[in-house]
Every structure is written in structure tokens, then in C-alpha cells.
Amino acid sequence: MSRYNFKESEARWQAEWDSRGTFAVEEDRSRPKYYVLEMFPYPSGRIHMGHVRNYTLGDLVARYKRARGFNVLHPMGWDAFGLPAENAAIANNVPPAEWTRENVATMRGQLKSMGLSYDWSREFATCEPEYYRHEQKMFLDFLAAGLVYRKESWVNWDPVENTVLANEQVIDGKGWRSGADVEKRRLDQWFLKITAYADDLLDTLKTLDRWPDRVRLMQENWIGRSEGAYIRFAIDGRDAGDESGRIEVFTTRHDTIFGASFVALAANHPLSLEAAKNRPGLEAFIAECNQLGTSEAAIEKAEKKGFDTGLTVGHPFIEGKRLPVYAANFVLMDYGTGAVFGCPAHDQRDLDFARKYGLDVVPVVAPKEAEGSAFSVADVAFTDDGRIINSDFLNGFSIAEAKAAVARRLQDAGAGEPTVNFRLRDWGVSRQRYWGCPIPVVHCADCGIVPVRPEDLPVALPEDVSFDKPGNPLEHHPTWKHTNCPACGKPAVRETDTFDTFFESSWYFARFTDPKGEGAFSKAAADYWLPVDQYIGGIEHAVLHLLYSRFFTRALRDCGYLDIKEPFDGLMTQGMICHETYQGADGGWMTPEQAERATSPVTVGRSEKMSKSKKNVVDPAAIIAAYGADTARLFMLSDSPPDRDLDWTDSGIDGAWRYLNRLWRMISDPKTPLAATGTARPGNLSEKCQAAYRSIHKTIHGVSDDLDRFHFNKAVARIRELTNTLEAIGPDEAGAGWLLRHGFEAVVGLIGPMMPHIGEELWRVLGHRTLLAETPWPVVDEAMLIDDTVTVAVQVNGKVRGTLDLALGADGQDVEQAALLLPRVREAMAGKPARKVIVIPDRIVNVVV
């Protein structure tokens, strides 16, 4: 039997698309545009199965929309800055630029082998000066607009790597790469004022109705808008009218103020540092806190500890009550005011802290049904809704009523006021590493910080750097950082920090609209293409990348670059690729190949996300070499909805390969001679062919609907079902040759976006000389979507006893007679006459006996 030669076919069609520039695109305002974009990859040197799934999904959408008449922009580029290149340079003595460019070339070839419909003429890498010079200009514009500032802040510092680490790079208090204990340090850092847009970023989430609900919820929680109050506690022995004489806290639970038993300060709060000068042991405690890192996750996991500063404050409402003030390891200096009050009865962290240090636990909120005087808290804080107790003028209030009353009293007394706070913090973009975009400012002894002149951009990275010394090579490069001040002309020093690599990925989608222009992009191109109609990528980017991109778009709008504020109209987050795990007799992880060849017992574990650490990875290059790109693509689309995890199985990829060959044989070597191309529909189609014709058009309609809804696995199932229907048409059926040509052309059109190479091959086999990639989507015969028969249930006394296949709109009397003749209906009636027969046309018949 004929076997599909994927190696010859895929190489030929990829070359054909490339030579014709099939997927190159320009603005065309006479056609509707569609911009589909998958999150661009880091050039690590190898694609993995996650890439294959992500890019298959995007390519299906792009090809489908193209066939539906849209002017489709589908670009690809490289997110090319970052630590892995720098680490590779250190390990292999290869310049990061060289390592990155070699990887880009390798991965470009791998992606092209998948037959992806990219406009490669728009390709760029973010590490090239012709890209990052534009973001340097954006930074300067943001600086002029008041969206950038520099301040000293607490950061995670890796003392071995000599760099700041993001919270996500701190694992159990240690640097993710060095394993060194991470310290807190105060460093001058550059920040972007993302908090200036906090309310808008939050409010506009409601309009992103083509985003997954869980992503919107994750962003909502990350932004973390909370309504609360500031409370100012007067420090005993000091002038409360002076700022140094009071402690201001932010709280969302001011209703519990009568249960307050202590105030806690961040370890690096100015009052903690002041107290450490005269409080033995406090300085050591602060140093211990500084080993924790700055992430909320690290603080949450740590044992809650405190140190009495010796300070006390007065309670704002209880005359004569004093509260001790502790430095505590669970208070963040850069959230709120760096100070909180503790109400142990209604916060578990505060309760644990109070029990540890012997502090009061006074319940002030009780369950609504409880006796207030008898209610107490033991080891578990009461955090549910209830009514206020033990709280003077608040007793009997609801929590909401109590909050309002406390805020009014605080404001009247000048001891506080209601406020709104956000969990979101400004984005620190400084990194003390080499392989990133240089921050375009100069430090001058006379003029201070001076922006580089726009005409002097880009500030390009030197490629002749040495990694012999720890830390940032830009710091100890012999010449690079030495320059002249743009303002006064005197000798000055360049900023040696580089941007966080999220900076590059926060605007790249706009660059794709006009990647060759003199500016970052032209306004006209951006106006035409943006926003991205469909963005596709992993759920792991649900917060930071997407949030930073949303911020960047707003900042670019306010600086005159864009007219939109949301970059991505639709978002699809694909699931992970999973595989069984294997362990040898020694407990070590094994690859699938090693497990297959093993001569000793192998323990087969559950299916988990493919990872190098557990060796349960499958190499896409090996799969494409063995089965072809179309088979891999079909498998990625068949087994699971795109937003769910997909289990990789050998039987699954084999099944996809078998279907490909079955399709190839069915169309390239049909059992029934096909009618010539363009033959008119015959008037004598057999009943079976007529039913198949109806199935063809219902399938076109159903697949179109599935693809519009991203139900890709359902679309594949429909196409397979149609091929079964067509395969059952024999040569003896009247009109079989015409029907099969019509059906085969529909099937090939439908599979084209999914399996483009075999689609092109079969389109050519069917006698067409045009490219399938340039052929419109199959057209539905709308008349075939209307059924002319209907199946009606027949009940006896409310229980279904049979069904009738009837013509639509059948006469009620005829329906009644047919129902009464059904054997199971007669049996259920047991010889009794029908007292009433209720016929609901085209739906149901109910016989009452």
C-alpha cells in the first residue's frame, strides 16, 4: 500500500512557501486584519515539546484566519537577553552574543521544519542594538514623563553572583544558581511607576472578556487593591505632633482595633534601626531578618519572630492602654508603611506571634450566633464574618459598619483616615549583569544623573568583555563605562546596570508591526495591526509578563507612541506537555529510551510535566525526523483541549501517523474514480451520497465553529468522522465519483491549517495548481444544515417507551397514529385505551392511559 513520504513532501512545501513569500504580509486597509502571536522563545538552542504545542496552536489559528479572508500578521522573533547566555559564556568561554546567535540559527531551522506560517521578514532578536536602541529611547521618554525614578531600596542580593535576584530566583533563601545564602541589601535601583496605573490595570481587566478567567483573577490578586485605613499610634515619651513621634500603620481590619495587642515594624524600619543602637541583640536580629530575602513567599514560610524595641504606643481609643512595639521578620518595609498592628484573635500569624511572646488575645469579632461574653479564641484565629464584641462604641456592629465608624473617629481625631492600598509595587528594572540592555544614563560628579542624548543612542554593549572577575563585567571593563557628560562635557561614568529582561518582552509585539523602520514602529502600522487579536502562551506568564506589557502599552500611549492601552485582545494559555516518569532500581530518573532498553526493573511513575530534571522529555527533532511535522502537529491538536495538559504517549503519536497514511491512501489512490475538477453536482445522487453530502457540510460548519471557539480536538474528531463516512461510499453509489471529490476537497481544506504539508500534497493530487495556503476556506451549503427529519420521543404516562423518526412538521394526527402502533407503547398501555395523546410537534408525544 502507498505510504506517505513526509520527508520529501515537507521539505518541498516549506521551500515552496519560502520562495513565494506566501506568508509575508503588509497593511491592507481594504481587508479585515488579524494579528496572531505566540510568546516568542528564548534562544536556548533547542525547541522542546512545549514550543511545538504552543506554535502549532498559533499556526492553526493563523492559517485558519487567513483562509477565512483575514489579512493575517503572524511573526516570530527571539527574546534573546538574559542570564543563561551569560552563564554559558562563563562555563564555555564563549561570548554571549556568539552563543545567542548560534542558538537563534539552530532554533530558526527547527521551527521552519514544523511548517509554521511565519512572516520571517519581520524576525528580530532583542539582543541586537537595532532593537534595544528603541527601548532606550522609550526609557528616556518615560523618564521625562515622570514614569521612571531611582531610589535606594531593599533587594535580594546574591553575594557569589554579585547581582540582584528577582524573588522568583530565590529558592529556600538561596540563590537559584549559586546556592549562596541570599542577603537583603539597600541599593540604588531604577523603577518604572507601574503603580501609577494600578486602578486602571485593575478596572480594565473586566473588559478583557477573551482572556481566561483564572488569568484575570491572578492579575487582580497580584495588583491587590485593598480598602483600609491609616492609623497613627503615638509613641510614649515623644511629641505625637512630630512625625518621629508616631507610628503610622496601614490596615484592612480597623474593625478589630479594640483587639490590638502589639505593633510590629519591618526589621529595616527607621524606628527599628534607631532602637538597635541602644537595644542589645536587636542589630543581630535585623541581620538575621535580612537573610530571608524580600519575597512574600519566603516570609510566609519562615517562623514568625520578633524583637522588643523597648518602645510602646498608646491605643487610639482605650485610655491608658499601652501596646509594645516589636521589630518583626514578617513585615515588609515596602508594603503599606512598613508597620502593622497585631490583633491576635483574628489573624493566625498574629495569634502565633502573641502566643510565642505572651501577649494579650482579646476576641473582638464573634460568630453571629455566639454569646459574645463567652466567645474565646484558643489556637485558631476567628477570621469569618460576625458581629463586634468587646469594643466599646462598636459593640453589635457588623464588620463593615465597624470599619466605617472607626475610620470616621480616626479622621475626626486626626489619628488616621480611610485609604486604598495596593499589593502591586513599582517595577524594579535594574540588574547588575552584562547580557542585557544598558540603561541610557550617565553619572556626572557635577550634574548628577544625566540622560544620554537621543542622537547618541544606542548605548551598545561591548562584546570584548571578561568574566574573570565576579559580578558585572561592565563594571570592570577598561573603557566602556568611561564617557563625557552630555550636559557639561566633563568626564563621567555610564550606568552599568542593565534592564530586567522583561523590559524587552513588554513591547516586542508592537515592534513586529514595523520592524524595519527608523523608529520603534510607525504609528500608522501600530494603529492598523494593534491590539494583538490572539496571544498564545503559557500560564506561567499570567502575571508578570502580561502585567508589564499592559503597563508598557499605557506608558507608550501616554508618551505618544500608541493610541491603545490594552495590548492583547484575546489570550489563550495552553496546557503543559506531560509524560510518564521512570526510575531505575537505584531510584535515579531515566529517559523513556533508557526505560525501554533497561534490563533491570523500572518503576513507572505518574505522568508529569516534561522536565530535564526527571528526564521524561521527548525530543521534538527526533519525533519530526521519525514521523514528520504534520503527525506531531495532529497529535498536539487531537487529544486534549488546548488549555488542558496533554499526556504524550507513543500510542497517541502512532495513531496520528496511521491516520495521516490512511488519509493519504484514501485520496491519492481512491477506490472510486473521482469526477473531474469543477464537475457540476449530478442530479441523481444516491440516498447514501445525499446523506454524505449533508455530513460534509455539517462538518464544515461544525469545524469552523470549533476553530472559532478553540475547540481544536473536537474539530479533529469531526474531520475523522467525516473521513469514515466518505470511506464507506462505494463505487456502486450513484454520483459517488462527484461526491467523493467534493468530500475530499472539503477534508483537505479543513485539515490544511492543522497539517499543512500533507494538505498541500493532497490538494495537488486532487488536480489543483494553486496553493492550499492561498485557497479560501470551504463554503457551507446552508440548506444542508437544516434537517428534514427529526427523532421524537414517545412517552406513556411520562416514561419514554420508544422513538419515531418523522418528517419535520409532520401532521399531528399521523404522529399520534404512528406512536400508538409502536410495540413497546402498546405493551406499556396493557390493552387500556388512551385517555389523551399530547403531541408537541417535532419534540415529544405523551400517551396518557
Side-chain angles (χ1 to χ4, degrees), residues 176-399:
W176 67 286
R177 181 175 178 271
S178 69
D181 289 331
V182 169
E183 304 168 359
K184 279 184 186 174
R185 281 197 183 181
R186 284 185 73 82
L187 287 180
D188 285 324
Q189 299 279 284
W190 288 99
F191 289 86
L192 298 185
K193 287 186 72 172
I194 189 170
T195 54
Y197 298 97
D199 271 320
D200 189 47
L201 288 166
L202 185 63
D203 292 343
T204 314
L205 284 173
K206 303 182 186 72
T207 70
L208 300 178
D209 52 8
R210 291 182 52 231
W211 282 39
D213 289 341
R214 64 172 176 160
V215 173
R216 291 192 292 177
L217 180 61
M218 290 166 76
Q219 290 219 356
E220 184 179 325
N221 291 339
W222 189 267
I223 296 168
R225 186 181 192 277
S226 53
E227 294 187 7
Y230 287 129
I231 303 178
R232 288 182 280 276
F233 292 87
I235 302 173
D236 291 330
R238 300 194 183 187
D239 179 5
D242 186 74
E243 194 172 318
S244 64
R246 56 184 185 265
I247 299 173
E248 185 173 68
V249 307
F250 169 77
T251 178
T252 59
R253 291 300 308 270
H254 36 299
D255 55 298
T256 65
I257 185 63
F258 281 90
S261 63
F262 66 93
V263 168
L265 307 174
N268 292 292
H269 192 284
L271 287 171
S272 301
L273 299 175
E274 177 189 315
K277 298 173 184 175
N278 304 306
R279 198 82 174 166
L282 180 51
E283 191 172 346
F285 175 76
I286 292 171
E288 179 186 333
C289 293
N290 286 343
Q291 299 300 313
L292 262 183
T294 63
S295 74
E296 291 178 36
I299 289 169
E300 191 62 35
K301 289 178 185 176
E303 179 190 357
K304 307 305 179 285
K305 295 181 180 179
F307 198 101
D308 192 344
T309 64
L311 299 173
T312 58
V313 295
H315 192 286
F317 297 127
I318 303 176
E319 189 70 34
K321 180 166 184 175
R322 321 308 329 150
L323 306 179
V325 179
Y326 285 80
N329 67 351
F330 55 81
V331 183
L332 289 166
M333 187 60 220
D334 53 356
Y335 178 76
T337 63
V340 300
F341 81 79
C343 179
H346 306 293
D347 181 286
Q348 192 61 45
R349 179 197 64 192
D350 293 350
L351 179 60
D352 295 341
F353 190 83
R355 296 298 187 206
K356 181 169 186 169
Y357 294 104
L359 303 172
D360 293 341
V361 178
V362 179
V364 291
V365 182
K368 292 177 181 176
E369 67 280 2
E371 286 290 331
S373 58
F375 180 69
S376 63
V377 168
D379 298 323
V380 179
F382 178 72
T383 57
D384 294 336
D385 195 14
R387 59 188 178 83
I388 305 298
I389 61 172
N390 299 327
S391 298
D392 194 13
F393 61 90
L394 300 177
N395 288 335
F397 282 15
S398 68
I399 288 175

Side-chain angles (χ1 to χ4, degrees), residues 706-761:
D706 288 336
L707 298 189
D708 285 334
R709 297 169 180 265
F710 302 142
H711 296 166
F712 303 147
N713 58 319
K714 290 183 180 179
V716 171
R718 286 186 203 273
I719 296 170
R720 288 194 178 209
E721 187 178 338
L722 177 58
T723 56
N724 292 340
T725 299
L726 296 175
E727 203 167 28
I729 300 295
D732 296 335
E733 300 290 338
W738 179 88
L739 184 283
L740 287 172
R741 166 168 288 282
H742 183 68
F744 289 163
E745 289 187 349
V747 167
V748 171
L750 296 177
I751 68 164
M754 303 173 183
M755 300 178 285
H757 307 91
I758 194 171
E760 294 284 7
E761 198 71 26

